[in-house]
Amino acid sequence: MRALVARAAGAPPRVEEIVLPAPGPAQVRVAIRAAGVCHSDLSMVNGTLAPTYPLVLGHEAAGVVLAVGAEVDRVRVGDHVVLNWAPPCRQCWFCARGEPWLCAATGAPSLPSGSTDADGTPLHVTLGLGALAEEVVVAANAVIPVPAELPFEAAALLGCAVLTGIGAVRRTAGVVPGEAVAVIGLGGVGLSVVAAARAAGADPVIAVDLSEAKRDLAIAAGATDFLLSDDTLNRSVRTRTGGRGVDHSFECVGRAATIRLAWRATRRGGQVTVVGMGGKDDVVELGALDIFHSARILRSSVYGSSDPDRDLPELARAVLDGSIALGPLISDRTTLDEAPAALDRMARGEGARSVILF
Ligand code: APR
Ligand code: ZN
């Protein structure tokens, strides 16, 4: 059984042989068939999210159930499933309130897993999953069955970038037709936000990135405008929005500097939705008078403010009936051995999603 393992912050991850435990009574074993490479994996590799090492990477994946524990009744052997990296407990105060994305039992960047490396050293897994691996053993509530006709690569992307991107637009921000939107950072997550904003009727949808190479990807995903993230950004956004700024900005990088950019690009009374996951020492400075006078809302979107058990099957149907197109999000398909190279490309800001096929 091979998996992509990070040994220490900043050390290049390597594909290693690992040993999985047998599934416990409330666990399932899944053969991974497709896994996306997400920036959060890179933030585990470089230490930004401060996980515990050694760590199996990966959290955006889909596959086939190989075995189920004695108490499991939500899936059966052979079912196709998407992995959920924040499975809610359904018992805490947040779950009872209908906000399972804030479940008190979730949120740790890494968890112990019962897996070991070839020498018997215990391994942690990313967000309870460790899905850049041929197989995983995970909690049964961390798998969501999807129709067998859904391609695995699409199913994988639903599990992080797409649920997050669509949820940020529809649920966290509540974008309505005719609103002006800016999206800062155009990786798999940002492009998914662009597509969702356009689908929600936003106009203009202004896509922003450091790299000119993202222009065509953004237009393909549904952006009406593309702007480079430089000193002239704020002026250019205002030129396109009657001098006001956008109604909604979405930060899809995960840095204080881009949260500031999003804040400045937003009109008085508009909303800044932070989708990126940044480091705890990267601090955003906002003026007290600016906060008052601008009347802006600053909100984060955790897992798209979604309930994956409810929302993911609906997204799967939307992919199957053609109302969501994921083609523009995928820039390349590759193998587990090439996953470190895909992470390097992501660190350089190249491409959209790389999908690992097994
Ligand atoms: N201004 C604009 N764009 C920027 C800037 C900047 N200052 N810095 C980086 N970017 C762009 C990169 O060029 C890249 O296109 O942000 C994009 C980030 O894309 P990916 O690395 O592919 O990240 P993605 O997987 O989409 O995740 C984005 O969401 O879930 C979180 O942890 C994740 O914080 C990360 C964010
Ligand atoms: Zn992710």
Side-chain angles (χ1 to χ4, degrees):
M1 226 295 294
R2 298 160 75 242
L4 188 64
V5 179
R7 291 266 158 194
R14 283 197 328 236
V15 176
E16 296 188 18
E17 275 300 323
I18 73 164
V19 180
L20 289 179
Q27 287 186 313
V28 298
R29 184 172 184 124
V30 177
I32 300 298
R33 300 292 297 275
V37 177
C38 174
H39 203 104
S40 302
D41 296 306
L42 188 60
S43 300
M44 301 286 173
V45 170
N46 61 27
T48 301
L49 295 176
T52 305
Y53 304 98
L55 176 74
V56 183
L57 297 168
H59 63 279
E60 182 180 84
V64 180
V65 176
L66 292 178
V68 302
E71 292 166 10
V72 175
D73 53 14
R74 63 190 259 140
V75 288
R76 284 192 272 180
V77 171
D79 282 355
H80 291 201
V81 292
V82 173
L83 302 189
N84 173 356
W85 55 254
C89 72
R90 304 285 175 199
Q91 311 204 323
C92 72
W93 186 89
F94 293 97
C95 285
R97 236 177 93 85
E99 297 182 346
W101 55 93
L102 302 180
C103 172
T106 63
S110 57
L111 290 172
S113 65
S115 301
T116 64
D117 68 8
D119 299 331
T121 305
L123 296 170
H124 275 60
V125 291
T126 297
L127 295 164
L129 300 177
L132 281 165
E134 289 168 342
E135 294 177 15
V136 295
V137 170
V138 297
N141 67 343
V143 301
I144 298 167
V146 287
E149 313 86 85
L150 185 69
F152 286 110
E153 61 180 35
L157 296 198
L158 292 187
C160 184
V162 175
L163 188 67
T164 300
I166 291 184
V169 169
R170 291 189 191 165
R171 297 184 185 280
T172 317
V175 172
V176 299
E179 286 191 310
V181 163
V183 183
I184 299 177
L186 304 173
V189 173
L191 290 169
S192 175
V193 170
V194 166
R198 190 63 182 280
D203 189 15
V205 178
I206 304 169
V208 180
D209 203 281
L210 280 179
S211 158
E212 178 64 38
K214 300 279 174 158
R215 179 187 294 270
D216 293 346
L217 292 170
I219 301 297
T224 58
D225 299 72
F226 172 86
L227 295 173
L228 278 176
S229 183
D230 60 20
D231 298 345
T232 64
L233 177 66
N234 202 26
R235 202 168 347 121
S236 310
V237 168
R238 269 156 218 285
T239 306
R240 283 164 177 73
T241 53
R244 291 185 300 276
V246 292
D247 301 299
H248 285 279
S249 61
F250 293 86
E251 195 274 353
C252 305
V253 181
R255 293 189 48 190
T258 35
I259 293 172
R260 269 286 295 171
L261 274 185
W263 175 264
R264 290 184 60 212
T266 304
R267 68 163 168 85
R268 283 185 84 185
Q271 179 164 327
V272 181
T273 302
V274 176
V275 185
M277 237 167 119
K280 72 178 187 339
D281 300 327
D282 191 15
V283 176
V284 188
E285 269 194 25
L286 298 173
L289 179 59
D290 185 17
I291 290 173
F292 175 82
H293 179 260
S294 74
R296 292 175 184 123
I297 301 162
L298 175 64
R299 244 192 125 175
S300 87
S301 180
V302 174
Y303 220 168
S305 310
S306 295
D307 180 341
D309 287 320
R310 179 195 63 198
D311 300 331
L312 208 132
E314 184 193 321
L315 294 181
R317 282 192 294 278
V319 172
L320 286 173
D321 74 19
S323 49
I324 301 180
L326 302 185
L329 301 188
I330 301 176
S331 49
D332 58 276
R333 296 162 180 86
T334 182
T335 61
L336 184 61
D337 288 308
E338 293 301 316
L343 281 163
D344 289 343
R345 283 196 295 281
M346 173 170 270
R348 292 194 300 268
E350 293 170 17
R353 262 297 186 267
S354 296
V355 179
I356 310 298
L357 297 175
F358 293 81

